[in-house]
Amino acid sequence: MSVEMVELPIEPAEPVNPVRPAGILQQNRVFLDFFWDLAKPDQETRLKAIENLIQYLKTSNKPDELEYAIKRLVEGLAHTREASRPGFSLALGQVLHAFEEIPLQTILERIKEKHNLQKVKKKLIRNAMFGNFFGVLALHQSSRLSKEPQVVLGCVQLLQSLSQHREHLKDLPSKTMMDILTEIPEEVFEEVLLGALQTDLASAFSTPEQMQLLLVALQRFPQTLKPKKLKKLLGSSTIINADNIPKLTEVLKMAAQSVKKECILPSVALDLLKLSLKEDSFQLFWTKAIINGMLKDQPGPTHYLCFRLLGSALPFLSVAQLKEVLSGEVMRLYGEHVVSAQKLDRFKLAPEMDAYVSDFLQGCKDPDRQLAVMVGFSSLTNQGYPVVPSVWRVVQHLQPAALQCYVEWMKTMFLQPQLENLLDFSTRKQKDSQEGREQKESSIFRLRKWIVPRLTSIVENHQVKKEEDLVMDVARFVFFHAFFNAKKATPDIPETEGKLSVQLDQKTRAILVNSFFGLLHSMHHMPVIGDSTAEVATISQRRVLGVTADGTMWIYCLVQYAQVLLNQPKYAQSTQPFSPEQRQAWDSMLESVASLIKRAKKGPTAETNAFQQVFLLVGMHLFKAPEELVDIMKDLQNCMEKAQEKKVKKKKKQQEEEEEEPGWAEVMVDILLSLLSQPSRHIRQVCKTVFSSICPHVTATALTAILDVLDPDKDESAVVVTDDNDSDKTKTKEKKTSEEGQDEEMEESDGTDDDSDEEDDEAMEEEEEEEEEEEEVDQSFRLEMMKVLQKQNALATEEDASDDDDLDDEAMMKLDNSLSMLFSEQKKKTQAKKDEKTRLQKEKTLVREFKIKVLDLVEVFVARQASSPLVLGLVEPLLTVIDRGMSSDSDQQEQDFLRRAADIFRNQLCRSKVYCRTAGDRQGELHDLLEKLMVKAQKLADSSVCLYYFSASLYLVKVLRGAVFVVQLWFMGNVDVDRVSTIFKEALCSFMSRRKSPLTAQMFSDLFTRFPVLCVNLVDTAVQHITAGVREHQQNQACVLVLRALQSREVQQMLSGTKWTELCQKVVGQLTASLSQKQAGQTESKVVQEKVVKALEVCQFLVKHVHQQKLSVDLEPLRTVLQSLTNVITFRKTGQLEDTYWAVMKHFGVNKPKAEKMKKSNEEAGQLSIPKKKKGFLPETKKRKNRKKQSPLELAADISTSTDKPVGEKGQVKKKNNKNKTKRKQPGDGETPSQPSSAKKIRTQSESKPAKKKKQKKEGGGDK
């Protein structure tokens, strides 16, 4: 079909089946089903029915069916189900489109006649309104309106009459009229519609809908609605002029209120803005109507309309208009809205504005307009801080030229902040708090604090279209101003040419330093940038990150730039100049990197790349902490020399040297551990990468050095962790102030490694203040105070208690001085204790953070070297960490550390598919470790810790077994089966014989599943404890383990024949003994019932298996015991215990007996319902009077004869009235008659109860 089928989404209602004429129904059922499908709620079904209906009418070519179809479709336009109306409307439109011989005028008249609002019933008037509306919509969708002008006129007139019913149709008629206007030719509008719409067009300033109609007519028919015509209609040749501004303002306010709930921009507002641009009156419209009109109202829908209009107008404005609009009152109020809407319960329009800006930048290819919008929004500041986030994703749509200019603008604003060019605003609180110079300095700091992360976020966002020169430009700018000052301008260093109008303070430099190393981390993971050349494609194919298009690492480019700055002190001066030793370390680093690059060209290796990354990383961090990294640089050079010599020397010389000095891998691990003490995410990531490359060379000594850091038994004071705040108190305060003032985006980019200490300090100080309030008075301080008072004779005694004026003024002054000195000393002591406690807590926090970072190395080693025998050395240390962590502090940091260690141990070590398959000469050692772990597991108090010990034991058994061969069931590799079986058997006996054991049945269940050979050796012990368990719970768990063993196919195959039969016989004997111990009353407890259920589950499997395999197992004792259980256990109708029991007995040929109680009650129901009196009489206030009642005998007669009476007779109603009375006597279910209506049931019940006793007396004692 040429017309696309679209339905209006309207919520479905309950279906109402249309009436089918008998004649058509008999002729063609398929044809009528189309109309039933049109009424269904599913849209896909309705669309399919329309297609099938059109196809059927075209193929059948029967006039009577076409006539019937039109009749049904016209009727369906006012369907009571709302979802069906669009379906019938669309179907009618498609029929009219397919059969052009049908005149539209006839259809319009039939619609008016069928859905005449004057003749329809009042309750159906709403449906009739929608019938008319959807009828016009069907005519419009037929695509034939433009061919029949009179029908167009009739449709418009009908829509005009419908537009009066806004409470039902809202603005749907007006929108439909606009759609009609967009499709008809100008001749039809001028000849037919102009006269009909003249009233609406003349009253355009009355409602937004009429104004929208006028604007659509102006856009569609400019030749008809010329200025002269407009002057006749409106009194002016233009719509937007000084006289009409008040009217337009009122129309816009009404439009804003009409879309208050929808939260959208009314189309009339945007159309008026487009018209103002066309009439060259944008300045008048924006200033008078928007700023001086709409914005004068209180914040609300009118303001939101202005904000949305601002965002929607961006694509239509020129550069000059964009600058004017983005620096005006609308933007200022938008900024205040963004700041005030930070609370959770406030409406936020910022996401909508971001969408407007994103759409504009995406669709606009003009760099100048893009730049104007970005600068305009970035210039909207709250005391210097822009309201748009520093990480603003819309920047990814900027053209490269606009992006370059935007970066240059931000760099200029950083160097020379021009606050007068910003659209700045302040809240009331901010105006009261700061004034004058302080406010200006604060604004400059806040602006720079936003610009720095804004620049770095452009580099970090991989979606931004940028060149390598731009990335390097931003990195150089941040690095230079973080560590250098410009002394003299030179073209060789572009950063020296920009002069600072306001010098950088320490807070800004701290932000720059943190941002630079965050930027360095992002560049380390940056994909290759550039055109799709062959070199870039080759590098990208290898998935190499952190390099330029020619393969050079980004960090190496920055090191070269730093070398240029250091070699030209005349132009650039370092904020922290290097000492001779530090400069020597820097120069040696450059030499080492140069030699590594030469070697990498011959044949790149992982070791070469690792050393190169570490050298460059340590070199860049020399600018941040030179004193701490000089020794690391020396060790790194020695390590590289040893690694190079190791490849050249022979094996004997290697062994001799290794005995004397540590290997290069051990030195490298020590260096990595030292670097991890630095608070930097980049260092942490590089250390992981480097350690991953040297994993194959890591020795046992190096691994021990890593594990010693995690060992809780080691003295934590030996672990030296670097903290930037420990070096200088002034530096601490400055950094703390700067980090507290950073926004959320800055905190995210810096990470937890850099700025989490201050938050811990604040929380710790609050806790200590609470503790000090509750702390008792120091006894030594009390004694000192008493001495001072006694010395000045100011301490009252019993003898002179009444004398208050012994001390003169001079004595009082001395006493005051003494007390002042005493309190001052006490305050210093208290502060010293508090500082010491804070220091210890902070050290503890830093050590934990350091250990969490060291876990990265353990995780990398487990992942890369899972098959190495060295991994076995991780088992015991990690278990110690988990064990100690469970019993230590429960703060969040400790929980994170513990959770991470447990995840590495269980999920990445014990459950790894790759493991050490060659135990070598360590078989005895591993067996001893296995026994040690199991013995310790039985002594633990926490079951969760025991689970990790048991998992470690299973891991060791898996390592000892080695590679698995499926064919050989008894294969266990290097496992000493007897010894291991003895170890687990002792553990199983401990679990079954101790009341409180950390072991669980799930642990042994995993053992049975993973190692069937050990299951065979332990199953006899489990069978014995079915009766020998210390408590019912242990006996229950024994049944669980036995059932798991019996169900294992491997166990059945290994114990086939006589052994399997003997095992089954043992289990039968134990179950018989266990179930025979039950006595009446013992099964009431939940634990006993659970045990019986598990025992019955074992019985069910065993009996079924014996019968299927026809084993020679004597089941008669078990059957006897099971039959006697009915005397011990009180069975209910249903339940797990009862269902399992009867499932077992079914295998013995005994089925669950059917309940006969209901049959007896059926036989005696007539007798029982008469003699017993009913209870629960209604109170007198609830009784109904003046109703004829029946006696009980009559009710019984009605019950007995109810099945013979038809539905609705009086006897049936009376019988049902008595249902609730006889329910307590449990009559037979078979006598329940058909249900009467609930209203009658309630009424007859309330009527029959009050007079029952009187009627029994009148009947002559019917109960006797």
Side-chain angles (χ1 to χ4, degrees):
M1 293 180 222
S2 60
V3 180
E4 184 181 359
M5 290 188 283
V6 180
E7 290 188 323
L8 294 178
I10 300 179
E11 297 183 358
E14 292 299 324
V16 175
N17 299 334
V19 179
R20 298 183 176 187
I24 297 294
L25 177 61
Q26 293 175 358
Q27 293 177 7
N28 194 340
R29 174 63 185 269
V30 177
F31 173 61
L32 295 175
D33 284 342
F34 295 146
F35 304 100
W36 285 82
D37 291 341
L38 286 174
K40 290 184 178 179
D42 183 49
Q43 183 177 2
E44 295 297 329
T45 305
R46 297 198 301 267
L47 293 176
K48 188 67 176 176
I50 294 172
E51 293 180 6
N52 296 335
L53 176 62
I54 300 298
Q55 188 67 27
Y56 177 83
L57 291 174
K58 285 182 177 181
T59 55
S60 66
N61 197 17
K62 294 181 180 180
D64 58 339
E65 289 184 343
L66 180 60
E67 177 65 23
Y68 177 77
I70 292 176
K71 178 183 176 183
R72 288 290 302 272
L73 293 176
V74 171
E75 292 176 354
L77 296 174
H79 205 288
T80 53
R81 184 192 296 168
E82 295 183 358
S84 303
R85 298 169 192 160
F88 282 98
S89 175
L90 182 60
L92 180 58
Q94 295 303 311
V95 169
L96 295 176
H97 177 75
F99 299 93
E100 295 188 359
E101 63 271 15
I102 303 175
L104 296 184
Q105 185 66 37
T106 305
I107 303 300
L108 179 60
E109 292 176 356
R110 294 179 67 170
I111 292 172
K112 291 180 179 180
E113 181 182 358
K114 182 64 181 176
H115 307 297
N116 192 340
L117 300 180
Q118 305 298 329
K119 298 180 181 180
V120 75
K121 295 181 180 179
K122 188 175 182 180
K123 64 179 181 180
L124 298 177
I125 192 170
R126 184 176 187 272
N127 295 343
M129 293 177 190
F130 277 103
N132 285 292
F133 168 71
F134 280 107
V136 175
L137 202 60
L139 296 174
H140 174 59
Q141 290 178 339
S142 68
S143 303
R144 294 170 51 192
L145 272 181
S146 58
K147 300 177 183 179
E148 300 187 25
Q150 294 302 321
V151 180
V152 175
L153 179 61
C155 290
V156 170
Q157 290 174 346
L158 183 56
L159 290 173
Q160 285 176 332
S161 63
L162 292 176
S163 61
Q164 302 173 5
H165 306 281
R166 289 186 55 86
E167 68 275 9
H168 298 296
L169 299 175
K170 297 183 179 180
D171 58 346
L172 291 176
S174 301
K175 290 183 177 179
T176 308
M177 277 194 286
M178 297 172 200
D179 294 338
I180 293 175
L181 290 181
T182 56
E183 294 187 4
I184 63 174
E186 190 164 1
E187 295 79 10
V188 176
F189 173 76
E190 185 176 1
E191 297 174 1
V192 179
L193 288 186
L194 184 58
L197 295 176
Q198 188 163 3
T199 304
D200 290 333
L201 296 177
S203 59
F205 294 104
S206 301
T207 62
E209 291 80 10
Q210 292 171 330
M211 174 59 70
Q212 181 69 18
L213 185 65
L214 175 62
L215 295 176
V216 171
L218 278 174
Q219 294 175 5
R220 187 75 178 83
F221 315 111
Q223 298 300 325
T224 303
L225 296 176
K226 293 182 178 180
K228 293 182 179 179
K229 190 66 177 179
L230 282 179
K231 191 168 185 180
K232 291 181 180 179
L233 289 173
L234 306 175
S236 59
S237 58
T238 59
I239 295 178
I240 300 177
N241 52 55
D243 296 333
N244 293 337
I245 287 296
K247 302 176 185 178
L248 291 174
T249 304
E250 293 301 323
V251 170
L252 290 175
K253 288 181 181 180
M254 285 189 287
Q257 294 295 334
S258 65
V259 296
K260 182 179 180 180
K261 295 182 179 180
E262 289 81 359
C263 296
I264 58 174
L265 175 68
S267 55
V268 64
L270 186 59
D271 288 342
L272 283 173
L273 185 135
K274 293 178 182 178
L275 183 63
S276 68
L277 293 172
K278 184 179 179 181
E279 295 181 352
D280 198 17
S281 57
F282 172 75
Q283 181 74 27
L284 175 66
F285 173 75
W286 191 259
T287 305
K288 300 297 182 180
I290 302 300
I291 297 178
N292 297 335
M294 300 288 287
L295 295 183
K296 295 302 179 181
D297 285 2
Q298 293 296 323
T302 55
H303 284 211
Y304 299 149
L305 183 144
C306 297
F307 302 154
R308 294 188 178 104
L309 183 60
L310 171 65
S312 302
L314 296 178
F316 309 103
L317 303 180
S318 63
V319 175
Q321 290 170 338
L322 284 172
K323 291 181 179 180
E324 178 184 357
V325 168
L326 295 177
S327 60
E329 187 69 12
V330 179
M331 277 292 285
R332 189 185 66 79
L333 291 177
Y334 169 72
E336 292 182 359
H337 161 75
V338 173
V339 174
S340 63
Q342 298 299 324
K343 296 182 180 179
L344 295 177
D345 57 341
R346 298 287 182 87
F347 170 72
K348 299 176 178 60
L349 197 127
E352 295 183 39
M353 188 62 74
D354 291 346
Y356 285 128
V357 176
S358 179
D359 294 340
F360 164 74
L361 296 177
Q362 200 168 1
C364 177
K365 304 303 180 184
D366 184 4
D368 295 334
R369 294 173 63 201
Q370 286 187 337
L371 179 63
V373 171
M374 293 301 299
V375 171
F377 277 91
S378 301
S379 300
L380 179 60
T381 58
N382 174 29
Q383 285 198 340
Y385 196 91
V387 297
V388 295
S390 58
V391 183
W392 204 18
R393 298 191 181 278
V394 301
V395 76
Q396 68 191 26
H397 303 302
L398 286 177
Q399 297 293 323
L403 181 63
Q404 182 66 45
C405 295
Y406 183 53
V407 171
E408 292 297 330
W409 177 83
M410 286 191 290
K411 291 164 59 178
T412 304
M413 291 299 292
F414 181 89
L415 296 173
Q416 299 175 354
Q418 300 172 4
L419 300 181
E420 63 278 2
N421 294 337
L422 301 178
L423 183 59
D424 195 78
F425 63 92
S426 301
T427 61
R428 293 181 181 177
K429 293 182 180 179
Q430 291 172 341
K431 291 178 181 177
D432 297 338
S433 59
Q434 287 186 346
E435 293 182 0
R437 184 176 179 182
E438 289 185 12
Q439 183 176 353
K440 184 178 180 180
E441 294 178 356
S442 175
S443 298
I444 293 175
F445 166 72
R446 286 164 61 86
L447 178 62
R448 286 173 170 173
K449 186 177 70 172
W450 180 88
I451 290 176
V452 174
R454 189 77 192 90
L455 288 170
T456 57
S457 67
I458 292 176
V459 177
E460 293 169 357
N461 189 350
H462 298 163
Q463 303 297 326
V464 177
K465 304 171 187 177
K466 52 185 177 290
E467 302 293 338
E468 288 185 352
D469 294 340
L470 178 65
V471 174
M472 199 61 198
D473 184 30
V474 173
R476 285 198 309 261
F477 180 83
V478 177
F479 175 77
F480 180 85
H481 293 287
F483 301 108
F484 288 88
N485 290 321
K487 292 181 64 179
K488 187 178 180 181
T490 175
D492 298 335
I493 307 176
E495 286 71 26
T496 59
E497 296 179 350
K499 295 183 180 180
L500 291 166
S501 60
V502 178
Q503 295 299 317
L504 301 178
D505 54 4
Q506 292 299 324
K507 294 187 294 183
T508 307
R509 287 202 185 274
I511 295 173
L512 284 163
V513 171
N514 290 332
S515 297
F516 172 73
F517 287 105
L519 178 63
L520 204 61
H521 175 70
S522 301
M523 296 171 71
H524 180 69
H525 296 278
M526 184 184 298
V528 179
I529 301 174
D531 300 329
S532 57
T533 58
E535 187 176 5
V536 172
T538 305
I539 295 175
S540 300
Q541 230 173 13
R542 291 179 293 169
R543 294 186 179 180
V544 178
L545 303 178
V547 298
T548 60
D550 59 357
T552 307
M553 287 191 290
W554 284 108
I555 189 173
Y556 182 65
C557 297
L558 290 172
V559 166
Q560 291 178 321
Y561 175 68
Q563 176 66 8
V564 172
L565 296 178
L566 291 174
N567 290 338
Q568 298 187 18
K570 180 180 178 182
Y571 302 104
Q573 181 181 7
S574 176
T575 55
Q576 294 182 356
F578 284 166
S579 65
E581 184 182 9
Q582 295 166 359
R583 184 58 190 265
Q584 184 181 359
W586 172 265
D587 294 336
S588 62
M589 180 271 297
L590 293 176
E591 296 174 1
S592 302
V593 171
S595 63
L596 287 171
I597 292 176
K598 290 181 181 179
R599 273 199 202 95
K601 291 181 179 179
K602 297 179 181 178
T605 61
E607 297 176 30
T608 305
N609 189 29
F611 275 109
Q612 189 176 350
Q613 287 188 17
V614 175
F615 269 118
L616 294 173
L617 181 66
V618 174
M620 293 307 296
H621 276 79
L622 278 173
F623 290 96
K624 184 178 181 181
E627 298 86 359
E628 301 160 2
L629 296 177
V630 169
D631 295 335
I632 293 179
M633 185 70 76
K634 294 179 181 178
D635 295 339
L636 188 59
Q637 290 174 346
N638 295 333
C639 176
M640 187 187 71
E641 293 173 0
K642 290 181 181 179
Q644 294 172 357
E645 293 173 1
K646 188 175 182 180
K647 296 180 181 179
V648 182
K649 289 183 178 180
K650 296 180 180 180
K651 294 183 179 179
K652 294 183 180 179
K653 292 184 178 180
Q654 285 180 3
Q655 294 174 357
E656 293 175 0
E657 184 176 343
E658 287 174 359
E659 292 177 359
E660 296 176 359
E661 296 182 1
W664 70 271
E666 300 166 13
V667 177
M668 175 62 82
V669 168
D670 290 338
I671 292 172
L672 295 180
L673 292 175
S674 301
L675 290 175
L676 284 176
S677 63
Q678 301 287 334
S680 171
R681 288 189 305 153
H682 186 210
I683 289 181
R684 183 177 181 179
Q685 185 64 36
V686 171
C687 287
K688 287 179 65 175
T689 305
V690 172
F691 186 75
S692 176
S693 61
I694 67 170
C695 268
H697 307 284
V698 172
T699 62
T701 306
L703 193 60
T704 303
I706 297 175
L707 296 175
D708 287 343
V709 176
L710 302 176
D711 191 356
D713 295 331
K714 299 288 183 180
D715 186 11
E716 290 188 351
S717 62
V719 180
V720 179
V721 183
T722 304
D723 181 22
D724 295 341
N725 299 337
D726 293 341
S727 58
D728 192 358
K729 292 183 179 179
T730 305
K731 187 177 178 181
T732 302
K733 294 180 181 178
E734 291 170 350
K735 182 178 178 181
K736 182 174 179 180
T737 306
S738 65
E739 291 182 353
E740 287 176 350
Q742 293 177 1
D743 57 327
E744 294 178 359
E745 294 83 16
M746 190 66 186
E747 291 173 357
E748 290 175 359
S749 63
D750 293 342
T752 56
D753 296 335
D754 297 331
D755 53 16
S756 62
D757 299 334
E758 284 72 22
E759 297 176 359
D760 296 338
D761 292 345
E762 294 175 0
M764 196 162 44
E765 289 174 3
E766 292 176 1
E767 294 176 358
E768 290 171 354
E769 288 175 1
E770 294 176 1
E771 292 175 359
E772 287 177 0
E773 292 177 0
E774 300 176 358
E775 192 176 331
E776 295 182 359
V777 181
D778 190 1
Q779 294 296 328
S780 59
F781 175 64
R782 178 180 293 178
L783 293 175
E784 292 292 334
M785 182 177 290
M786 292 181 64
K787 290 180 181 179
V788 171
L789 294 175
Q790 288 177 354
K791 185 176 181 181
Q792 299 294 335
N793 295 326
L795 188 64
T797 59
E798 295 181 357
E799 298 177 358
D800 54 355
S802 60
D803 192 358
D804 298 334
D805 301 322
D806 290 342
L807 297 178
D808 53 8
D809 294 342
E810 185 177 355
M812 287 294 292
M813 291 295 294
K814 292 181 180 180
L815 179 61
D816 290 343
N817 293 334
S818 301
L819 290 176
S820 176
M821 295 175 61
L822 179 61
F823 277 101
S824 177
E825 293 177 359
Q826 180 64 21
K827 186 176 181 180
K828 291 180 181 179
K829 292 180 181 179
T830 305
Q831 185 64 32
K833 292 180 181 179
K834 181 179 176 180
D835 294 342
E836 181 66 17
K837 189 175 181 180
T838 303
R839 185 184 64 81
L840 294 175
Q841 183 66 25
K842 193 169 185 178
E843 288 181 358
K844 189 176 181 181
T845 302
L846 292 172
V847 169
R848 283 178 186 163
E849 289 180 354
F850 176 61
K851 289 184 176 182
I852 292 175
K853 297 177 186 177
V854 173
L855 280 178
D856 292 346
L857 306 184
V858 177
E859 184 177 13
V860 169
F861 188 79
V862 171
R864 298 295 298 270
Q865 297 295 112
S867 59
S868 172
L870 293 177
V871 175
L872 301 175
L874 299 174
V875 174
E876 203 169 3
L878 286 177
L879 284 175
T880 305
V881 170
I882 295 172
D883 189 8
R884 295 295 179 85
M886 286 288 190
S887 58
S888 62
D889 298 338
S890 59
D891 60 349
Q892 185 61 41
Q893 192 184 36
E894 185 67 26
Q895 290 179 9
D896 294 341
F897 173 69
L898 177 61
R899 191 180 298 110
R900 183 87 185 282
D903 177 72
I904 293 173
F905 176 76
R906 192 174 185 192
N907 298 330
Q908 302 184 39
L909 178 62
C910 296
R911 295 182 178 178
S912 176
K913 295 182 179 180
V914 181
Y915 58 91
C916 179
R917 300 175 185 269
T918 55
D921 300 332
R922 303 183 63 180
Q923 299 177 16
E925 179 185 349
L926 293 180
H927 280 90
D928 294 338
L929 178 60
L930 173 63
E931 185 174 4
K932 178 182 178 182
L933 294 179
M934 287 306 302
V935 170
K936 189 170 184 180
Q938 300 173 43
K939 298 178 181 179
L940 294 172
D942 193 348
S943 179
S944 58
V945 180
C946 182
L947 176 62
Y948 291 99
Y949 275 85
F950 203 90
S951 299
S953 303
L954 297 183
Y955 172 73
L956 293 177
V957 176
K958 181 174 69 173
V959 171
L960 286 168
R961 183 181 60 180
V964 180
F965 299 97
V966 180
V967 181
Q968 303 178 8
L969 294 174
W970 291 92
F971 176 79
M972 286 297 287
N974 296 320
V975 178
D976 187 348
V977 178
D978 294 335
R979 181 179 178 183
V980 174
S981 298
T982 304
I983 293 172
F984 284 108
K985 186 178 294 184
E986 292 176 355
L988 181 59
C989 293
S990 173
F991 169 58
M992 293 295 176
S993 59
R994 290 175 57 186
R995 287 182 172 271
K996 293 183 178 180
S997 174
L999 300 169
T1000 61
Q1002 185 61 41
M1003 299 177 186
F1004 291 99
S1005 181
D1006 293 342
L1007 173 66
F1008 286 5
T1009 303
R1010 296 172 63 181
F1011 305 105
V1013 177
L1014 300 179
C1015 176
V1016 170
N1017 296 338
L1018 296 177
V1019 67
D1020 289 336
T1021 305
V1023 172
Q1024 293 174 6
H1025 285 91
I1026 292 178
T1027 56
V1030 65
R1031 290 188 304 174
E1032 302 288 344
H1033 174 70
Q1034 277 74 14
Q1035 297 174 15
N1036 176 14
Q1037 300 304 310
C1039 293
V1040 173
L1041 295 178
V1042 171
L1043 180 60
R1044 177 60 62 88
L1046 294 177
Q1047 291 175 339
S1048 174
R1049 294 183 179 180
E1050 292 83 359
V1051 174
Q1052 294 177 14
Q1053 294 175 8
M1054 287 187 287
L1055 293 178
S1056 60
T1058 308
K1059 293 183 179 180
W1060 179 251
T1061 304
E1062 292 176 355
L1063 175 62
C1064 292
Q1065 190 63 58
K1066 288 181 183 179
V1067 176
V1068 170
Q1070 289 292 322
L1071 291 173
T1072 304
S1074 176
L1075 295 174
S1076 62
Q1077 297 175 0
K1078 304 300 167 201
Q1079 299 178 3
Q1082 290 184 349
T1083 59
E1084 298 297 330
S1085 66
K1086 185 178 180 181
V1087 178
V1088 176
Q1089 287 187 359
E1090 290 177 353
K1091 180 210 166 179
V1092 174
V1093 169
K1094 293 300 178 183
L1096 290 174
E1097 289 178 358
V1098 180
C1099 293
Q1100 181 182 2
F1101 172 81
L1102 195 59
V1103 174
K1104 180 180 179 181
H1105 183 76
V1106 169
H1107 287 167
Q1108 287 179 348
Q1109 302 296 329
K1110 298 181 180 179
L1111 302 177
S1112 57
V1113 177
D1114 186 11
L1115 298 176
E1116 192 60 31
L1118 181 61
R1119 176 177 181 175
T1120 304
V1121 173
L1122 289 174
Q1123 287 179 339
S1124 64
L1125 278 182
T1126 55
N1127 301 326
V1128 179
I1129 302 175
T1130 303
F1131 286 101
R1132 296 174 294 177
K1133 290 184 179 180
T1134 183
Q1136 186 180 11
L1137 176 61
E1138 292 75 14
D1139 295 344
T1140 309
Y1141 173 78
W1142 290 115
V1144 177
M1145 296 305 296
K1146 187 175 182 180
H1147 293 294
F1148 287 110
V1150 180
N1151 293 325
K1152 183 178 181 180
K1154 296 183 179 179
E1156 299 179 357
K1157 184 177 180 182
M1158 303 306 295
K1159 293 183 179 179
K1160 294 181 180 180
S1161 61
N1162 291 341
E1163 297 171 357
E1164 302 173 359
Q1167 301 176 4
L1168 294 176
S1169 61
I1170 297 172
K1172 292 189 178 181
K1173 294 183 178 181
K1174 305 298 184 294
K1175 297 181 180 179
F1177 287 99
L1178 288 171
E1180 291 296 330
T1181 55
K1182 297 294 183 180
K1183 294 179 181 179
R1184 289 194 180 186
K1185 300 178 181 180
N1186 299 328
R1187 294 285 187 182
K1188 184 177 180 180
K1189 308 299 189 301
Q1190 282 184 316
S1191 65
L1193 291 177
E1194 293 173 343
L1195 291 175
D1198 289 340
I1199 293 174
S1200 62
T1201 60
S1202 61
T1203 56
D1204 297 331
K1205 292 186 178 183
V1207 178
E1209 289 188 8
K1210 185 176 181 181
Q1212 182 184 359
V1213 178
K1214 293 293 183 181
K1215 184 261 171 187
K1216 288 305 296 179
N1217 293 341
N1218 214 21
K1219 179 182 176 183
N1220 290 343
K1221 298 180 182 180
T1222 59
K1223 187 178 286 188
R1224 297 180 182 175
K1225 300 168 188 173
Q1226 297 181 354
D1229 294 340
E1231 294 181 0
T1232 304
S1234 59
Q1235 297 285 344
S1237 65
S1238 59
K1240 291 183 178 180
K1241 178 179 176 182
I1242 297 172
R1243 185 178 68 247
T1244 52
Q1245 276 186 349
S1246 61
E1247 291 170 2
S1248 61
K1249 288 183 179 181
K1252 178 185 173 185
K1253 193 170 181 180
K1254 287 184 179 180
K1255 289 197 174 184
Q1256 287 178 354
K1257 292 180 181 180
K1258 291 179 181 179
E1259 298 288 357
D1263 294 338
K1264 295 179 182 179

